[in-house]
Amino acid sequence: MTGAQGTAGDVPMDEMVEALRDVARLGGFFALDADSGPARGEVRLTPEAFEVRARAVNERYGTAEARIGVSIAHLGLAARLWSPVLACALVHGIVPLMTTVEWAGEGSALRLAGPRGNRAPRPVPALAHAVAAQADGVLQRLESHLPGRMAPRLLAGNSASALVGSAAQLLRYRPGLRAPVTELTRELLETGRLPGTGRITGPGLTFRRRSCCLYYRAPNGSKCGDCCLAR
């Protein structure tokens, strides 16, 4: 793992942009568009903008149960937050500052306006707290205003599921990082609100969560691979 102890906000924008572009090449949820311009107020991660996306999920899956759309949209957002933050921390030794993260448009992709970052701290517990503050911190700020009543442990379970899924994907793409990826993931599962949300069950970072994202309740839905209800 690269990186060294540093002070807050000590990564120049051009270095942060290059790191984000590099990890975006991993594809999928690792892509976080880096934009040197200011944040666009109309696409911030506001409760109103999230609710629009949750309703779109309900329409896509043909269900009127609002909790399903909220949970699935929340799970997807969690993956898009954890993936680039984890990858930047472990590949480049930089923790992106996610205070200006926003949706890149009407879809689910994200952008980071005026990207800045901190040098990844050591030891691992300090790094876990730094990573969680940026990825899970964004989620928790949004969750306090979600539409409808959502169980806190379901939301924490979504975050944990997204974290381990992101880590497993990073491990697939960068097998040489097996030790630091595994160590940081295990530490993150003991950080903040994530203790008790699930457990790692195999060397490839397979996971069994202790809650359910509700996808199985949608028409033609099913239980996810890490679901507590799966046998």
Side-chain angles (χ1 to χ4, degrees):
M1 177 166 52
T2 59
Q5 188 78 30
T7 57
D10 64 353
V11 175
M13 184 183 295
D14 58 349
E15 186 179 349
M16 186 71 259
V17 168
E18 190 54 42
L20 288 170
R21 287 176 177 168
D22 179 54
V23 301
R25 296 186 184 103
L26 298 174
F29 294 106
F30 291 93
L32 178 61
D33 184 35
D35 191 327
S36 58
R40 305 169 190 156
E42 72 275 11
V43 290
R44 289 178 184 157
L45 268 66
T46 62
E48 295 77 16
F50 179 86
E51 188 170 359
V52 170
R53 285 158 174 80
R55 286 200 302 267
V57 171
N58 276 96
E59 291 172 6
R60 186 185 317 144
Y61 290 107
T63 176
E65 188 174 350
R67 291 188 311 150
I68 296 174
V70 170
S71 180
I72 295 174
H74 176 270
L75 183 58
L77 175 60
R80 290 187 180 276
L81 292 167
W82 280 113
S83 297
V85 176
L86 271 177
C88 281
L90 289 165
V91 177
H92 292 280
I94 299 172
V95 179
L97 297 177
M98 303 292 279
T99 51
T100 58
V101 68
E102 55 191 23
W103 273 291
E106 294 186 1
S108 56
L110 300 179
R111 70 188 284 268
L112 191 62
R116 290 287 194 277
N118 293 339
R119 300 293 172 192
R122 296 174 179 166
V124 172
L127 177 57
H129 281 283
V131 167
Q134 299 307 320
D136 200 40
V138 172
L139 276 181
Q140 291 187 72
R141 287 191 291 275
L142 180 67
E143 286 166 16
S144 60
H145 303 286
L146 286 180
R149 296 181 62 183
M150 301 297 295
R153 293 312 288 169
L154 182 155
L155 297 175
N158 279 356
S159 184
S161 176
L163 157 65
V164 181
S166 298
Q169 282 291 93
L170 179 57
L171 187 58
R172 225 166 269 129
Y173 295 132
R174 298 293 180 92
L177 291 176
R178 175 173 295 277
V181 168
T182 302
E183 184 180 17
L184 179 57
T185 303
R186 290 186 180 278
E187 188 67 37
L188 280 162
L189 288 173
E190 296 299 325
T191 301
R193 62 170 174 171
L194 299 187
T197 52
R199 61 186 178 88
I200 292 172
T201 59
L205 294 181
T206 51
F207 185 64
R208 178 57 60 94
R209 60 184 286 180
R210 294 196 172 101
S211 60
C212 173
C213 73
L214 306 179
Y215 174 57
Y216 82 99
R217 294 176 63 90
N220 301 314
S222 60
K223 298 180 181 70
C224 303
D226 65 357
C227 182
C228 64
L229 303 178
R231 294 185 180 275

